[in-house]
Amino acid sequence: MSSYQLLLRFAGRYPGWVFLTVLLGFSGGLFNGIGTALIAPVLLGFLGQASGTDDAPSVIQTILSPFDAVPPNYRLLVMTGAVVLLILLKNLAAYFNTLVSGALKRALSNDLRETGLQLLLDVDLDFYTKIGVGDIIHRLNSEMVRAATAIMTIVKAITTIITITIFIGLLISLSWQLTIASTVLLAVVTVVNQVSIARARQFGKYLSEVSRGYSIALLDVLAGMRLVRSTANEDIEYERLKKLMRDREQAEYNSQANSAAIAPLSEVTGVVALLLIVLLGRTLLADQIEAFSTVLLAYLFLLFRTLPLMAQLNGARNQYASLSPSVDVANDFLRRDNKSFMANGSVPFQQLRQGIRFNRVSFAYPDYCSPVLKDIDLHVPRGTTLALVGASGAGKSTLADLLPRFYDPTEGSITIDDVDLRDLDIKDLRRAMGVVSQDTFLFNASVRDNIAYARPDATDHEIIEAAKKANAYEFILRLPNGLHTQIGDRGVLLSGGQRQRLAIARALLQNPEILILDEATSALDTVSERLVQEALDKLSANRTTVVIAHRLSTVQKAEQIAVLDQGKVVELGSHDELLNRGGYYAELCKMQFSETTQSIVGSTRNQIAATSYEIRTRLNAMMGSLRLIVDGYIDNPEERNELTEEAYYSALSLLKSLESLEHIQERIETPEATPLPIKPA
Ligand code: ADP
């Protein structure tokens, strides 16, 4: 679908509004044209000049004919009244036109946004891995409004073209010779404008790119505020965003400066052309008709009104040129043929009876040729737990993502009670699955709403029960408004462990048949980890569970452990079986143990290095101060006192640093018993 088709498709949904806009534009143009043509005879009448219109062009005679019936004494007065009435009608039409086109623009923007939103909720999750959230928000908000404005610009341009056609018709009927001359002169004016319009398009495109970059960067910083703060990168981010803001301001200025130059340029060239037309008109008309002053004046009035309309039309073209990149972006965003959507099945899913089976499942991500999963054969009987272990990147999350059909296998099939997942009703299937993942997602809503997300009809009693089971109730009670506390954007007000326990409470309340756990206790402190682990155990008890295990200590209870390596299941069995086999799993256990030890050694090393750095810095400062005093550079006694005092405080800090070094040494000599991740078999 081309961008023009997009415009037509959306504008076509509002035929009534579009017709009304064009009709109001047309009536306005008609009232404007006739009123303008009437001004000349009225003016000349007031100046006492006889209009003598007998040999005037027929259009003037037609416009003036209704006034023939009026007695001559009142004719001028009635004509003046008619001019005022026509101008009034023209302005009324313009007023209603503004209201109608405003309503049309709002309807179009909403329609475009709603279509975009619907698409975002339908499209495969893979779409979100290719395009950032900031980019999507920018497209859904700014670009859609700009696309709607582009459609309105076209509708307005059509109205202007109709008005111009009426004016040109009147001009031709007044004098075709003058109209040919005017057309040539105005063509020159148009060519001059073309150059600026071409530039406006370029500036518009650049501005669109720069503002998009800024929106994305701003959203990144807001979303990653914790990281920014924890790495003390506020100044760097401030400078980066400031530069992006300045770039956008500059691009806006350039675009505005170019657009602003178009109207004056067109007016100056227009006025020069007009003066040439006056000269020409006087020569042409004076020889031909008696009523030449009425005709020339009427002609000039009409032409003088046509010029701004031409400028308006040029302006609309210019505006469309700068908006058309957004139409392309909106078109690309709303197209369904360049995105993938999950096909729905028709078999309802009510209850899991036997189990889940992976039948020679292979999978490659869309647009990637190498498979991430190869020939996976697994069976998870109802009520049992399958743990997936393996190095990072082995394919564990991908395998888990196939269950709620975030992706479909490229080869093989996954069946639930022997029915292919692709045949099942996708909403039934997903409702039957609960996912608790590493990056727990919480909405910026109350604790209650977050827990009840999958079951909004749950009672307070049920929610509290779920919270209690998830070890979350105690901390919820301590929050300022208990269950009704708003938890801030993505739950920033809660600790990692608290967020996890809320997610577990959510899953407990949902009570899904099948549970997918991306076990995430590794980033938590010991107390939180224990609380989360307890809650997870309650959640997965007697439930068909697929758990991605990051810490091997937590998978020992699983009925089956599948060890994945580069997308293949290389070992399958219970914890004890696999340890006894002494293969890859046993190796992984050993590695994790040494990693834990190494991380303790590593962190001690870091602490020593930091303390030693601090001691060195303080010593340098102290020696610098003392050197100045010893060498007699400081004559001023006050300054000498100050330096001595500084040296004294540096020495005090040095003592403290030494104490902490001794403390670290003590810890190395009497290490706390490091819990083994796996008990030796
Ligand atoms: P694990 O969970 O075991 O750490 P993943 O399932 O996340 O492994 O990833 C398996 C492989 O698939 C990795 O090589 C990873 O780079 C790749 N991968 C993950 N997600 C995508 C994606 N959306 N598009 C393309 N490749 C991906």
Side-chain angles (χ1 to χ4, degrees), residues 125-126 129-130 363-366 368 372-373 389-401 407 438 518 548 550 564 567:
L125 285 180
D126 189 52
T129 60
K130 292 182 188 140
F363 174 76
Y365 278 99
Y368 288 82
V372 173
L373 298 174
V389 301
S392 165
K396 305 180 292 290
S397 307
T398 308
L399 189 65
D401 279 352
Y407 300 95
Q438 263 190 77
D518 194 344
I548 299 173
H550 296 274
L564 265 83

Side-chain angles (χ1 to χ4, degrees), residues 250-265:
Q250 184 63 40
E252 223 165 50
Y253 171 76
N254 289 345
S255 176
Q256 201 181 27
N258 187 66
S259 302
I262 293 173
L265 193 68

